[in-house]
Amino acid sequence: MQYDPIKRVLGDAFNRTPFLRRVFYKLLDLLLLRTWHVHKELREWAQGRRDKEQHILDAGSGFGQYTYYLSGMSRKWSILAVDVKEEQISDSNCFIRAIGRHNVLFRIADLVKYREPKSYDLILSVDVMEHILEDVEVFRNFQSSLRHGGMLVISTPSDQGGSDVHGDDEASFIEEHVRDGYNIQEIQDKLKLAGFSKVKARYSYGKPGQVSWRLSMKYPLLLLNVSKIFFLVLPFYYLITFPVCLVLNWMDVNGNHKSGTGLIVKAWK
């Protein structure tokens, strides 16, 4: 399934006013389980830092929802958000200026080439590495760009069914992915090869999360990929499934999973 065309339609629909974009971000925060896991890590990192100047890189910012979340946590933080999609960068800059958050800048950049030595206290990369073939080179750029003691947070699919792949004869649910998912040891080894001194990884999207993902994301996206007319049906669909997904998301983010289709990885310089 091609994900980018649907993302463009959603972006066009919710980018009409700052209010609609805020509503869109709130919906993503509630529905996307990865957001629950990422927000949990960001809140933990932010403890003791909200009143201090911090420099943050959102590496692969997409719609900009994580940059928006971070910029609301402290006005003392400076955030650079980069992505390769010019349209999304332009839309995000217009939105962030419209709401008066001047500690944020969106910029076009290729993570395979982007490196700013010793510039950031935190680098966030959410659902990006499964799109980039030259992953070790990107990890080296991240390591170089972090200040001493800085932290990298990655959310990415695992090889335990990430991208909804469960066998050698299956293809990724998302056509834009260059890999189906990381083996948990593989990504830790690659980060250490890139120079990180300490790496921790855990599974996300355990059994509760996998059910939630199918209900909240996979089935709606499949319908939308067939016809955009299903946008009219979505509000009624989510009216039924939304409460169930909230409970499943809470169970997933508060549980310890021996396996899962997602990974949350943290690495320190």
Side-chain angles (χ1 to χ4, degrees), residues 57-269:
L57 174 67
D58 185 354
S61 54
F63 286 122
Q65 68 267 35
Y66 296 104
T67 292
Y68 172 74
Y69 180 78
L70 282 163
S71 67
M73 296 177 80
S74 175
R75 292 300 180 100
K76 291 191 174 183
W77 298 352
S78 297
I79 305 167
L80 175 65
V82 300
D83 203 287
V84 294
K85 295 184 173 67
E86 183 176 354
E87 182 179 354
Q88 287 188 342
I89 291 296
S90 177
D91 290 344
S92 296
N93 269 324
C94 290
F95 166 72
I96 214 73
R97 294 293 171 263
I99 64 173
R101 295 194 180 178
H102 302 292
N103 58 331
V104 176
L105 176 65
F106 287 84
R107 181 188 300 169
I108 299 170
D110 182 349
L111 295 178
V112 178
K113 302 175 182 178
Y114 182 80
R115 179 181 293 200
E116 292 289 341
K118 300 178 181 179
S119 297
Y120 303 105
D121 302 288
L122 173 70
I123 296 178
L124 177 66
S125 180
V126 180
D127 285 0
V128 173
M129 297 313 304
E130 62 269 25
H131 297 271
I132 301 177
L133 199 59
E134 306 92 334
D135 53 352
V136 175
E137 185 59 34
V138 173
F139 292 157
R140 289 194 177 105
N141 291 340
F142 287 164
Q143 196 273 349
S144 174
S145 298
L146 280 172
R147 295 173 173 175
H148 181 71
M151 185 175 77
L152 166 67
V153 178
I154 295 172
S155 171
T156 193
S158 81
D159 65 347
Q160 303 297 304
S163 304
D164 208 31
V165 174
H166 303 280
D168 294 337
D169 59 338
E170 295 185 9
S172 172
F173 173 67
I174 305 298
E175 291 183 16
E176 292 90 351
H177 288 184
V178 300
R179 61 175 57 83
D180 299 329
Y182 281 98
N183 177 275
I184 193 169
Q185 189 61 51
E186 171 200 6
I187 194 169
Q188 292 182 87
D189 290 343
K190 285 185 173 183
L191 286 163
K192 290 177 181 177
L193 179 65
F196 285 92
S197 61
K198 179 182 176 183
V199 182
K200 287 184 178 181
R202 64 176 176 85
Y203 286 108
S204 58
Y205 287 80
K207 291 182 179 179
Q210 291 170 40
V211 176
S212 176
W213 177 75
R214 287 183 175 88
L215 290 174
S216 65
M217 293 300 298
K218 181 181 180 179
Y219 300 149
L221 286 175
L222 286 173
L223 290 174
L224 291 175
N225 207 53
V226 172
S227 172
K228 302 304 181 289
I229 195 67
F230 284 106
F231 272 110
L232 301 175
V233 181
L234 278 184
F236 303 100
Y237 172 85
Y238 280 120
L239 188 64
I240 298 170
T241 59
F242 181 66
V244 178
C245 292
L246 287 181
V247 173
L248 292 170
N249 285 358
W250 183 90
M251 292 171 63
D252 198 84
V253 81
N254 288 286
N256 294 317
H257 310 293
K258 294 182 180 179
S259 180
T261 59
L263 289 172
I264 299 294
V265 186
K266 297 186 289 187
W268 290 265
K269 182 172 181 177

Side-chain angles (χ1 to χ4, degrees), residues 40-70:
K40 179 181 179 180
E41 299 298 340
L42 294 178
R43 289 193 299 269
E44 182 179 312
W45 176 84
Q47 292 179 10
R49 291 184 170 92
R50 293 177 187 262
D51 295 327
K52 300 177 182 178
E53 291 187 2
Q54 299 288 302
H55 293 268
I56 301 169
L57 174 67
D58 185 354
S61 54
F63 286 122
Q65 68 267 35
Y66 296 104
T67 292
Y68 172 74
Y69 180 78
L70 282 163

